[in-house]
Amino acid sequence: MKLHEYQGKEILRQFGVNVQDGKVARTPDEVRAIAREYGQPVVVKAQVHVGGRGKAGGVKFSPTEDKAFENGEKILGMDIKGLTVNKVLVTKAVDIDAGVEYYVGMIVDRNVQSYTLMASAEGGMEIEEVAAATPEKIIKHRVDPVTGLRPYEAREVAIKAGFKGNLNKIADMMVKMSEAALKRDAVLVEINPLFVGPDGIPLALDTKFEIDDNAMYRHADLADWRELEAEHPLEIEASKYGFAYVKLDDGNVGVLGNGAGIVMTSLDVVNRAGAKPANFLDIGGGAKAEIVYNAVKLVSKDTDVKAIFINIFGGITRADEVAKGVIQALNDGILTKPVRMRIAGTAEDEAKALLAEVGSPLIQMYPTMFEAADEAAKDANAAEGK
Amino acid sequence: MKLHEYQGKEILRQFGVNVQDGKVARTPDEVRAIAREYGQPVVVKAQVHVGGRGKAGGVKFSPTEDKAFENGEKILGMDIKGLTVNKVLVTKAVDIDAGVEYYVGMIVDRNVQSYTLMASAEGGMEIEEVAAATPEKIIKHRVDPVTGLRPYEAREVAIKAGFKGNLNKIADMMVKMSEAALKRDAVLVEINPLFVGPDGIPLALDTKFEIDDNAMYRHADLADWRELEAEHPLEIEASKYGFAYVKLDDGNVGVLGNGAGIVMTSLDVVNRAGAKPANFLDIGGGAKAEIVYNAVKLVSKDTDVKAIFINIFGGITRADEVAKGVIQALNDGILTKPVRMRIAGTAEDEAKALLAEVGSPLIQMYPTMFEAADEAAKDANAAEGK
Amino acid sequence: MGILVDNNSRVIVQGMTGREGASHSRAMKEFGTQVVAGVTPGKGGTDFEGWPVYNSVAEAKAAHDANVSIIFVPPAGAADAVLEAAHAGMPLIVLITEGVPTVDMMKAVQEVKTLDALNRAEGGQGIRLIGGNCPGLVTNGQAKVGIMPNKIYTNPGRIGLISRSGTLTYEAAKLLNDAGMGTSTTVGIGGDPVIGTTFADVLPLFEADPDTDAIVVIGEIGGADEEAAAEYIAQHMKKPVVAFISGRSAPKGKRMGHAGAIIMGDVGTPESKLAAFAAANVPVADTMPEIIDMVKAALNK
Amino acid sequence: MGILVDNNSRVIVQGMTGREGASHSRAMKEFGTQVVAGVTPGKGGTDFEGWPVYNSVAEAKAAHDANVSIIFVPPAGAADAVLEAAHAGMPLIVLITEGVPTVDMMKAVQEVKTLDALNRAEGGQGIRLIGGNCPGLVTNGQAKVGIMPNKIYTNPGRIGLISRSGTLTYEAAKLLNDAGMGTSTTVGIGGDPVIGTTFADVLPLFEADPDTDAIVVIGEIGGADEEAAAEYIAQHMKKPVVAFISGRSAPKGKRMGHAGAIIMGDVGTPESKLAAFAAANVPVADTMPEIIDMVKAALNK
């Protein structure tokens, strides 16, 4: 689960990180009230789950209350990459030029089977940009997942990264970030910029925080931070069914299968067939008719989808169950787009018999995933006049 | 810092331990109100920092509101081993006969350089009694201080201890107790009895919890749990001066020195001399006149003390500083009891000269700790007519 | 022979009495695996469909001289189940459970590696974790310790198979089976970001296995396990290896079902993996059926 | 020669620029110890009374080929300072700090022991922690890495001294010094419940030291270190050992200054310790001066 900046800051604050003061506003009046309370220049920052909000005009320095109100009006309701801004964070502005901006972050790193701490004196820009331009400026350090980052390790990393300022306090902030990551099951946590003012004291100006979905059961207190309105409506519906679903941009073929690997490969096969997958949908193991029905219903709602490719490798899955689910969707009037299926499972003959009985050109079975994908691609491209 | 039962339960509750419901009362009316709220038989339990409160009549089953009020009247204000009961815990009564009582606890164990978990099916009695009578009924297990107790270990210990009931839930309670110990720096934590009812679910009926004084700085939220009124007034005063002070029963010689080892040995020497030490007082290193003055002032306040034995081994300590502190106490009228000193340090001659100048028989220096202790013992015993 | 599991594997099932544990215990038995006992804390001393059930791995291991444990425990208790098996000295631990928190896996994998090193230092055979979020492993015609469909393993053969994906493992095994080549041992290493055993850990076992002639590696986007495998192959492998990579058309930054299948920045891209395999002279199949042709070609060299 | 520290010890001081660190750095230098550098995070690159100060132990160790570190860091950071030194591969770490939380010490001691084992397995000399809450150690006439008064070590001799108490260490050392016997090495192991090195860890070093003829063990109530020492002596020691136990008249359940000096139930009683030493034929002095007589008697046997 991705957190908003203000939520990530709240978690860091719980672990004792020195975070820039700020409050959330949902109306320009609230923005003004916060600016008045602070009695100093503020920054109004859009809270949306996409990157690049600054370039999109979602972050604005506001020297006066009136300016804060005005910027609140501009940003609230703004559309950033398809998401509407419903909330802004109003923070006390900091004189960046008076200090330095650093980067610290931790990510789950498959290669070290733990977290990797990253630190760079090149703060304030995306770490990927630093990695691309000046990789030598990123200091990396494996964090022991049992002990967490220790102060001496944090100091060593800070020294190697060339951080200036109060070494002990900067290291302490890194240690607390590590505690937050481990205790709150972060997949990713960043403090960027980590601002060090002329007094040498570190201050977290912005943060990214993403929590491991597998661990959400032990963070029940954060459950209502999940904002369904900020997610794609089909992704919300998919999560209700327990499907792993990802909406993909610029696609025209709906893709569903049983297992992450087979669906990933199905995307590749659709691509090879000259069309574009519109989604990733893993219906999991044991596909009964009802599950297939729900999956077809979900994918059919996507107006980008012009044809559906179903790719099932069934150990336990029965082809006739899959066929039943699809036929049910057809009968209920839900299915209006062609479905091209490959089902390697038991009861293939029964499935064929069921489909023959229905006799709809909308539903066809093919012996291989390639033929099914080719047909789906052909249908989808034809529907788009390609 | 020793916690009251209700405080220990509060901590265990914070870590998710299933603790018997209960509330604190300071008046019989409050006891009645809680009993009424629970609407069932309750137990009224004195909250004092001494053992054996049950035998002293400080724990009473109260089947009705009226009985609860009556027991509240009896217990509140009661004196248990010199401490007045100011608070009681009113808990929902449990039908002990319907279930079983177990013991689980963790102590800092020097021998394994970590915590030792102890579990016994002989719950409801002091673990020392079990250890004396049937040591084979206590299962011991070293807990890794970095990982804490793991569920599988807790299950193995519970099985070995012969616990019946819901194995997973009992193990879970032990794991949570371990988390509480490690996170709250327990020196000792016990859940005794750990009651398992007919449904197999464990419930913590009573607890002991003691926090490492060295770690109190990271438990600022518990600082106001320290109850000065429940400690010996001289111990409170000593803690203000930063002295390690322990009041000892039945003593007549006040003992002070610089360093835990030398003071322990001083107690032994007083004993050998035929008197009884009235306290342990370590003034720490570097003894300046003012520190000695405060120490003498403190010990002099103890009416049990008939003579004072000062034993200083000074590397850095100057004998004349010690002498000055004692003389100052004499001049201020604080010192009315004989002081017998041994000071192995620099400036012994200067000290002797200062004392000669004062010329008081109350203050004498001796070349060895034995002579000083013998004189102090003689003086103290004489003062008591022995 | 094959690797890791065979006729001599004596398997206990942690979580046998749960739904998944029960059905797969039966399927493993049908396959011919020596499933010797179950472990379900709180149900010790009972019987489950003829299998004795124990409260702890230590008890079950001692009573049945077990040398493999397969875990079907729900996510919240899965890492603890791994540690229980590892501390009981179980040489091979197979974690099937999907959805285990990553932090739990980090801790468990690190501790298993420490126990493995200690065990080997004391002359033991070591302690190995496979998974989690994996389909397990199967040595064709001998033993299955996993959840693969039994029927795709009808033709024992001489091709080793390692895969990060469950369904693609089946797909590949069936292709090899139907092509008449068949598999020696199949190892599903799992789709999670932190797993006990990687491609590079399994490859040397196949290299040393006299019953394996070639190896198929089914990778996917995310992480750098394929890159590590390619490096190992280039430096140490004499037997031919054929690779496949799924998710090649997935966009960056989106998690493709598997928690580990995500391209983050420049890490985990198909380009990087293709380049690594190319550098190691490992042919990469564009489609799964091509794997068969490439294996045939490699074996005929 | 003596044990653990000598003329070749190259000592860094963690927390040199603090009050205690500074004064004892001077005193150690006066004693003749090779104090080579200080470590104070944030003050790296500065000079302190002629000593270079570094931000980290790793830097200081590398720059000065240091082989001993003494720690004067305040309690909250003391365990981390130990781990820093241990991970930097420092062979001997002396923790003076009093008041370190016990849980911190449990974790640190366990980790140092693991690092020690790993280091030895790799052919290193190991990593040893002395203390905390200890006065350090001194090899008479060679080097002091601790806080003992310099002037009680004027007569180098051949008696080894190990003690849980600071002041009693001085007391005993002075008695031996004044009796003309003098000490070889004095090791203050510390009064906390969890410490890095125990009596039983130090005894074999004295047994092997050609410059030590007899050993004095200053124990106290609490724990079972004396019992473990007695057992070790009975089984392994040829050199005579004389013991002393302080706190013999202390009541049960009261903590006597040292966090470790408490009799809990039947653990830590003087009776148990006396019985253990008696069983090991170790004479126990009733008063400290008796120690001298007993050592003399033992050496004249």
Side-chain angles (χ1 to χ4, degrees):
Chain A
M1 181 171 84
K2 278 187 187 171
L3 303 188
H4 284 304
E5 175 191 3
Y6 78 90
Q7 295 166 330
K9 283 180 167 176
E10 177 54 34
I11 289 196
L12 291 175
R13 210 176 265 124
Q14 286 166 4
F15 285 87
V17 172
N18 185 30
V19 174
Q20 183 189 32
D21 286 334
K23 290 186 178 178
V24 172
R26 287 162 194 274
T27 65
D29 284 327
E30 285 176 14
V31 173
R32 181 194 293 278
I34 297 164
R36 180 174 305 155
E37 184 193 329
Y38 287 156
Q40 64 160 83
V42 296
V43 182
V44 181
K45 305 166 95 174
Q47 302 294 292
V48 278
H49 287 305
V50 288
R53 63 183 175 166
K55 283 176 196 154
V59 177
K60 289 197 183 290
F61 175 72
S62 313
T64 64
E65 263 179 63
D66 288 344
K67 196 73 192 165
F69 177 85
E70 199 180 295
N71 285 330
E73 276 189 315
K74 274 187 200 153
I75 297 173
L76 284 160
M78 176 188 266
D79 180 287
I80 301 183
K81 296 186 186 172
L83 290 172
T84 306
V85 179
N86 296 314
K87 286 180 286 195
V88 292
L89 177 62
V90 184
T91 65
K92 288 183 183 170
V94 164
D95 181 7
I96 294 286
D97 296 336
V100 282
E101 293 179 285
Y102 298 144
Y103 169 96
V104 295
M106 277 169 67
I107 51 157
V108 172
D109 186 347
R110 189 182 179 101
N111 300 328
V112 299
Q113 299 182 311
S114 187
Y115 284 108
T116 287
L117 168 71
M118 296 179 296
S120 172
E122 300 289 310
M125 54 197 282
E126 297 280 326
I127 193 69
E128 285 87 358
E129 294 171 36
V130 182
T134 50
E136 73 283 0
K137 290 193 178 165
I138 303 175
I139 304 301
K140 293 185 177 184
H141 177 79
R142 180 185 188 271
V143 175
D144 183 307
V146 177
T147 63
L149 183 70
R150 273 82 78 86
Y152 81 88
E153 296 175 287
R155 291 194 301 263
E156 286 176 358
V157 169
I159 292 165
K160 279 186 199 154
F163 289 0
K164 308 295 174 201
N166 187 316
L167 181 62
N168 289 314
K169 287 205 192 293
I170 293 171
D172 185 56
M173 185 180 276
M174 293 160 76
V175 168
K176 284 169 175 161
M177 177 183 73
S178 158
E179 284 172 14
L182 277 160
K183 299 272 171 58
R184 286 303 201 170
D185 288 288
V187 171
L188 164 80
V189 53
E190 289 184 349
I191 298 176
N192 183 28
L194 182 163
F195 177 74
V196 179
D199 55 358
I201 308 297
L203 180 68
L205 293 194
D206 195 359
T207 183
K208 278 187 193 163
F209 208 108
E210 186 178 346
I211 297 180
D212 180 5
D213 286 320
N214 286 349
M216 278 306 293
Y217 71 88
R218 53 189 174 205
H219 303 292
D221 58 324
L222 308 184
D224 61 1
W225 279 8
R226 170 149 267 158
E227 291 175 355
L228 296 180
E229 74 271 18
E231 294 176 20
H232 195 284
L234 290 178
E235 290 182 347
I236 299 164
E237 191 172 338
S239 72
K240 282 182 201 152
Y241 293 128
F243 296 152
Y245 175 90
V246 183
K247 176 71 185 118
L248 301 173
D249 297 336
D250 310 319
N252 57 3
V253 174
V255 178
L256 63 94
N258 62 334
I262 205 167
V263 182
M264 264 188 270
T265 284
S266 302
L267 305 183
D268 298 342
V269 169
V270 167
N271 253 295
R272 288 174 57 87
K276 284 282 200 180
N279 68 273
F280 170 105
L281 198 172
D282 175 7
I283 62 172
K288 292 281 175 197
E290 193 194 341
I291 291 170
V292 175
Y293 175 86
N294 289 333
V296 168
K297 187 171 145 190
L298 181 75
V299 172
S300 295
K301 284 185 185 168
D302 184 349
T303 53
D304 292 348
V305 168
K306 311 300 178 201
I308 299 172
F309 169 37
I310 298 181
N311 189 5
I312 305 280
F313 185 92
I316 317 154
T317 315
R318 290 177 62 93
D320 55 348
E321 287 285 328
V322 178
K324 278 180 199 164
V326 178
I327 292 166
Q328 184 65 43
L330 181 76
N331 292 343
D332 288 2
I334 286 164
L335 184 68
T336 55
K337 298 159 187 175
V339 171
R340 308 304 174 209
M341 308 192 283
R342 172 260 186 166
I343 321 175
T346 39
E348 287 183 44
D349 292 342
E350 288 89 330
K352 276 178 199 154
L354 287 169
L355 293 178
E357 206 174 297
V358 173
S360 166
L362 280 184
I363 316 177
Q364 296 292 331
M365 261 178 82
Y366 300 85
T368 71
M369 64 172 86
F370 307 102
E371 290 160 88
D374 279 347
E375 280 305 310
K378 208 178 292 172
D379 293 335
N381 288 341
E384 290 184 328
K386 285 181 191 169
Chain B
M1 180 171 84
K2 278 187 187 171
L3 302 189
H4 284 305
E5 174 191 3
Y6 79 89
Q7 294 166 331
K9 284 180 166 177
E10 178 54 33
I11 290 196
L12 291 175
R13 210 176 266 124
Q14 286 167 3
F15 285 87
V17 172
N18 184 31
V19 173
Q20 184 189 32
D21 287 334
K23 290 186 178 179
V24 172
R26 287 163 194 272
T27 66
D29 283 328
E30 286 177 13
V31 173
R32 182 195 292 277
I34 297 166
R36 181 175 302 154
E37 183 193 331
Y38 286 157
Q40 64 159 81
V42 296
V43 182
V44 181
K45 306 167 93 175
Q47 301 295 292
V48 279
H49 287 306
V50 290
R53 65 183 174 166
K55 284 176 194 152
V59 177
K60 291 198 181 291
F61 176 71
S62 313
T64 64
E65 264 179 61
D66 289 345
K67 196 71 191 168
F69 177 85
E70 200 180 294
N71 286 330
E73 277 189 313
K74 275 186 198 154
I75 297 173
L76 283 160
M78 176 187 265
D79 180 285
I80 301 181
K81 297 186 185 172
L83 290 172
T84 306
V85 180
N86 296 315
K87 285 180 287 194
V88 292
L89 177 63
V90 184
T91 65
K92 288 183 182 170
V94 165
D95 182 6
I96 294 284
D97 296 337
V100 282
E101 293 178 284
Y102 297 143
Y103 168 95
V104 295
M106 277 169 67
I107 52 158
V108 172
D109 186 347
R110 189 182 178 99
N111 299 329
V112 300
Q113 298 182 311
S114 187
Y115 285 109
T116 288
L117 168 71
M118 297 181 294
S120 172
E122 300 288 311
M125 54 198 284
E126 296 280 325
I127 194 70
E128 284 85 358
E129 294 171 36
V130 181
T134 50
E136 74 282 1
K137 289 192 178 166
I138 303 176
I139 303 302
K140 292 185 177 182
H141 177 79
R142 179 184 189 273
V143 176
D144 184 306
V146 177
T147 63
L149 183 71
R150 273 81 77 88
Y152 81 88
E153 295 176 288
R155 291 194 302 263
E156 286 176 358
V157 169
I159 292 165
K160 279 186 199 154
F163 288 0
K164 308 294 175 203
N166 186 316
L167 181 61
N168 289 314
K169 287 201 191 296
I170 294 170
D172 186 55
M173 185 179 277
M174 293 159 76
V175 168
K176 284 168 174 161
M177 177 182 74
S178 159
E179 284 172 13
L182 276 160
K183 299 271 171 60
R184 286 303 201 171
D185 288 287
V187 170
L188 163 80
V189 51
E190 291 184 346
I191 298 176
N192 182 29
L194 181 163
F195 177 75
V196 179
D199 55 0
I201 307 298
L203 180 68
L205 293 194
D206 196 359
T207 184
K208 279 186 192 162
F209 208 108
E210 187 178 345
I211 296 180
D212 180 5
D213 286 320
N214 286 349
M216 278 306 293
Y217 71 88
R218 54 188 174 204
H219 303 291
D221 57 323
L222 308 184
D224 62 0
W225 280 8
R226 169 148 269 158
E227 291 177 354
L228 297 179
E229 71 271 18
E231 293 176 21
H232 194 285
L234 290 179
E235 291 182 348
I236 300 164
E237 192 172 337
S239 72
K240 282 181 204 157
Y241 293 128
F243 296 153
Y245 175 90
V246 183
K247 175 73 185 114
L248 300 172
D249 297 335
D250 310 318
N252 56 3
V253 175
V255 179
L256 62 95
N258 64 333
I262 206 167
V263 182
M264 265 189 270
T265 284
S266 302
L267 306 182
D268 298 343
V269 170
V270 167
N271 251 296
R272 287 173 58 88
K276 284 284 201 179
N279 67 271
F280 169 105
L281 198 172
D282 175 8
I283 62 172
K288 292 281 172 197
E290 193 194 342
I291 291 170
V292 175
Y293 175 85
N294 289 332
V296 168
K297 185 172 146 191
L298 182 76
V299 172
S300 296
K301 283 185 184 167
D302 184 351
T303 53
D304 293 346
V305 167
K306 311 299 177 202
I308 298 171
F309 168 37
I310 298 180
N311 189 6
I312 304 282
F313 183 92
I316 316 156
T317 315
R318 292 178 61 93
D320 54 348
E321 287 286 327
V322 179
K324 277 180 201 165
V326 178
I327 292 166
Q328 185 65 40
L330 182 76
N331 293 345
D332 288 0
I334 285 165
L335 186 67
T336 55
K337 298 158 187 176
V339 171
R340 308 304 173 208
M341 308 192 285
R342 171 262 185 165
I343 320 175
T346 39
E348 286 183 44
D349 292 341
E350 289 88 331
K352 275 179 198 151
L354 285 169
L355 293 178
E357 204 174 299
V358 174
S360 166
L362 280 185
I363 315 177
Q364 296 293 332
M365 259 177 84
Y366 300 85
T368 71
M369 67 171 86
F370 307 102
E371 291 159 88
D374 279 346
E375 279 308 307
K378 209 178 293 172
D379 293 333
N381 290 341
E384 290 184 325
K386 285 181 190 166
Chain C
M1 201 174 108
I3 64 168
L4 295 168
V5 294
D6 58 26
N7 287 332
N8 298 315
S9 299
R10 299 175 61 79
V11 181
I12 62 165
V13 180
Q14 289 176 257
M16 176 184 266
T17 60
R19 197 170 55 90
E20 295 289 311
S23 77
H24 289 294
S25 293
R26 287 177 212 119
M28 285 190 283
K29 185 182 175 187
E30 276 165 27
F31 191 91
T33 310
Q34 285 193 67
V35 177
V36 295
V39 173
T40 301
K43 295 202 176 163
T46 64
D47 171 282
F48 183 79
E49 300 184 7
W51 285 297
V53 176
Y54 295 85
N55 277 323
S56 73
V57 173
E59 290 173 301
K61 182 172 184 285
H64 298 276
D65 196 21
N67 51 17
V68 186
S69 184
I70 182 167
I71 300 174
F72 291 96
V73 170
D80 185 61
V82 169
L83 292 175
E84 176 175 5
H87 280 276
M90 193 63 76
L92 182 64
I93 303 161
V94 182
L95 176 62
I96 303 299
T97 311
E98 182 178 352
V100 183
T102 302
V103 166
D104 292 4
M105 287 307 299
M106 289 176 182
K107 293 178 180 172
V109 166
Q110 177 171 293
E111 189 160 338
V112 168
K113 286 193 186 294
T114 304
L115 291 170
D116 177 57
L118 286 171
N119 185 282
R120 286 175 194 275
E122 289 165 3
Q125 62 180 298
I127 291 168
R128 181 188 296 274
L129 169 66
I130 308 271
N133 190 15
C134 82
L137 61 171
V138 48
T139 296
N140 220 334
Q142 298 197 52
K144 181 184 80 166
V145 184
I147 61 171
M148 299 85 163
N150 288 353
K151 64 183 171 192
I152 58 176
Y153 291 99
T154 52
N155 283 333
R158 302 183 58 81
I159 310 299
L161 180 58
I162 328 175
S163 172
R164 277 170 72 181
S165 150
T167 38
L168 290 187
T169 310
Y170 313 160
E171 193 86 54
K174 187 164 193 302
L175 286 170
L176 288 163
N177 190 73
D178 294 354
M181 287 194 286
T183 48
S184 55
T185 299
T186 299
V187 184
I189 61 171
D192 275 352
V194 176
I195 51 177
T197 296
T198 62
F199 291 130
D201 296 325
V202 180
L203 286 167
L205 307 181
F206 277 129
E207 179 73 9
D209 175 35
D211 287 354
T212 297
D213 294 335
I215 300 101
V216 174
V217 169
I218 312 274
E220 64 190 29
I221 54 163
D225 286 17
E226 290 77 8
E227 287 84 337
E231 199 180 324
Y232 184 85
I233 292 164
Q235 289 179 14
H236 303 287
M237 299 280 290
K238 296 210 170 64
K239 294 181 183 174
V241 179
V242 170
F244 177 80
I245 297 161
S246 74
R248 285 161 66 173
S249 61
K252 286 190 180 191
K254 299 264 188 182
R255 195 161 271 120
M256 293 291 120
H258 283 163
I262 180 168
I263 302 169
M264 295 179 85
D266 285 339
V267 176
T269 63
E271 292 74 22
S272 162
K273 294 174 194 301
L274 290 171
F277 282 128
N281 285 319
V282 173
V284 180
D286 267 353
T287 67
M288 298 211 71
E290 276 182 41
I291 292 171
I292 305 302
D293 304 330
M294 287 180 168
V295 171
K296 279 185 185 158
L299 289 175
N300 288 337
K301 259 184 198 164
Chain D
M1 198 175 114
I3 64 169
L4 295 167
V5 292
D6 59 27
N7 287 333
N8 299 314
S9 299
R10 298 176 61 79
V11 181
I12 62 166
V13 180
Q14 290 177 255
M16 176 184 266
T17 59
R19 196 169 55 88
E20 295 288 311
S23 77
H24 289 294
S25 293
R26 287 178 212 118
M28 286 189 283
K29 185 183 175 187
E30 277 165 27
F31 191 90
T33 310
Q34 285 192 66
V35 177
V36 295
V39 174
T40 300
K43 295 200 177 165
T46 64
D47 171 281
F48 183 78
E49 299 185 8
W51 285 297
V53 177
Y54 296 85
N55 277 323
S56 72
V57 173
E59 289 171 302
K61 182 173 183 285
H64 298 275
D65 196 20
N67 51 16
V68 185
S69 183
I70 182 167
I71 300 174
F72 291 95
V73 170
D80 186 61
V82 169
L83 292 175
E84 176 176 5
H87 280 275
M90 193 63 77
L92 182 63
I93 304 161
V94 182
L95 176 63
I96 304 299
T97 311
E98 183 179 352
V100 183
T102 303
V103 165
D104 292 3
M105 286 307 299
M106 290 176 182
K107 292 177 181 174
V109 167
Q110 177 172 293
E111 190 160 337
V112 169
K113 286 191 186 295
T114 304
L115 291 170
D116 176 57
L118 286 171
N119 185 282
R120 285 173 194 277
E122 288 164 5
Q125 62 181 299
I127 291 167
R128 182 187 296 275
L129 170 66
I130 308 269
N133 190 14
C134 82
L137 62 170
V138 48
T139 295
N140 220 332
Q142 297 197 53
K144 181 183 80 164
V145 183
I147 60 172
M148 299 84 163
N150 289 351
K151 62 183 175 195
I152 58 177
Y153 291 100
T154 51
N155 284 333
R158 303 183 57 81
I159 311 299
L161 180 58
I162 328 174
S163 172
R164 278 169 71 180
S165 151
T167 38
L168 291 187
T169 310
Y170 312 161
E171 194 85 56
K174 187 165 192 305
L175 286 170
L176 288 163
N177 190 73
D178 295 353
M181 287 193 287
T183 48
S184 55
T185 299
T186 298
V187 184
I189 60 171
D192 275 352
V194 176
I195 51 177
T197 296
T198 64
F199 291 131
D201 296 325
V202 180
L203 286 167
L205 306 182
F206 277 129
E207 179 72 9
D209 175 35
D211 287 353
T212 298
D213 294 334
I215 300 101
V216 173
V217 169
I218 313 274
E220 63 189 29
I221 55 163
D225 285 18
E226 291 77 8
E227 289 84 337
E231 199 181 323
Y232 184 85
I233 292 164
Q235 289 180 15
H236 303 287
M237 299 280 291
K238 295 208 170 65
K239 294 181 182 173
V241 179
V242 169
F244 177 79
I245 297 161
S246 75
R248 284 160 68 170
S249 63
K252 287 191 179 188
K254 299 265 189 182
R255 194 161 272 119
M256 291 293 121
H258 282 163
I262 180 168
I263 303 169
M264 294 180 85
D266 286 337
V267 176
T269 64
E271 294 75 22
S272 162
K273 294 173 193 304
L274 290 170
F277 281 128
N281 286 318
V282 173
V284 180
D286 268 353
T287 66
M288 297 209 73
E290 277 183 40
I291 292 170
I292 305 302
D293 305 330
M294 285 179 171
V295 170
K296 280 183 183 156
L299 289 176
N300 290 335
K301 258 185 199 163

